[in-house]
Amino acid sequence: MLKKYRNIDKFDPSIYEQIDTNYLYQEIGTCYADRKVGNIRDFKKEERNVRIQFYPRGYLRLIAFSEKPEGPDPEVTGARGVIYKKGGKTKIDRQIADQDGTLQRGIFLVRVDGDRIYVMYAPVVTNYLFFDNSFECDVYQKAEKVPEDWKKYKPDW
């Protein structure tokens, strides 16, 4: 997947003016939004054991938590990704797996609003006759601090 993160060169430090890299962001539910991640509506609280850890320079990983986190080493645990700006939009490229286990790059649109981050699959152009312009978003909330011993691990993707 190393070549899949070529958009890291589009990382804009202004993204981190709204995202605190010292904290993990926990998935707290879902909602619906329009194709620009606007008009947020129908929030459904559904806490999941998934966190996003943001690293300096635009790197990130998604980590599964149960009673304790998967682990601090990104070489061993988590799904890797990057956050960047392109065409005036904030986006995330991250690993996703098909049903057969094949890893691919998923592209997501992002909206940061206070301590919440809305993450939506980037809409594709469709030819559907009855297209309602409504997309599901995962909602993340600023949660616990990143443990200090986790910060010794550097992203290399």
Side-chain angles (χ1 to χ4, degrees), residues 7-85:
N7 285 320
I8 191 61
D9 64 344
K10 295 174 182 66
F11 171 66
D12 182 339
S14 70
I15 294 169
Y16 284 167
E17 290 174 4
Q18 295 180 288
I19 296 173
D20 190 340
T21 59
N22 292 308
Y23 283 81
L24 300 172
Y25 286 76
Q26 179 181 2
E27 188 173 355
I28 60 165
T30 60
C31 67
Y32 287 93
D34 63 24
R35 68 175 39 256
K36 295 181 180 179
V37 198
N39 191 22
I40 304 294
R41 62 195 177 285
D42 301 330
F43 174 73
K44 179 180 178 186
K45 186 173 177 123
E46 190 177 331
E47 284 192 17
R48 297 189 181 136
N49 293 325
V50 176
R51 310 278 198 287
I52 301 176
Q53 179 182 4
F54 292 94
Y55 293 88
R57 299 184 332 270
Y59 298 94
L60 63 90
R61 73 177 174 137
L62 277 80
I63 313 160
F65 271 57
S66 54
E67 300 216 359
K68 61 181 187 174
E70 282 184 309
D73 187 353
E75 288 292 323
V76 178
T77 60
R80 298 172 174 196
V82 296
I83 189 167
Y84 59 96
K85 283 191 177 181

Side-chain angles (χ1 to χ4, degrees), residues 19 25 54 110-112 115-119 138-140:
I19 296 173
Y25 286 76
F54 292 94
V110 177
R111 175 178 169 190
V112 181
D115 287 342
R116 285 195 174 175
I117 300 173
Y118 300 88
V119 180
D138 294 327
V139 183
Y140 293 84

Side-chain angles (χ1 to χ4, degrees), residues 80-121:
R80 298 172 174 196
V82 296
I83 189 167
Y84 59 96
K85 283 191 177 181
K86 186 174 182 180
K89 298 176 184 174
T90 303
K91 297 182 179 186
I92 286 177
D93 289 357
R94 72 170 177 88
Q95 290 173 320
I96 57 173
D98 283 345
Q99 290 177 347
D100 66 359
T102 304
L103 289 179
Q104 296 183 29
R105 176 181 64 148
I107 302 171
F108 300 82
L109 294 178
V110 177
R111 175 178 169 190
V112 181
D113 188 10
D115 287 342
R116 285 195 174 175
I117 300 173
Y118 300 88
V119 180
M120 174 180 76
Y121 267 112

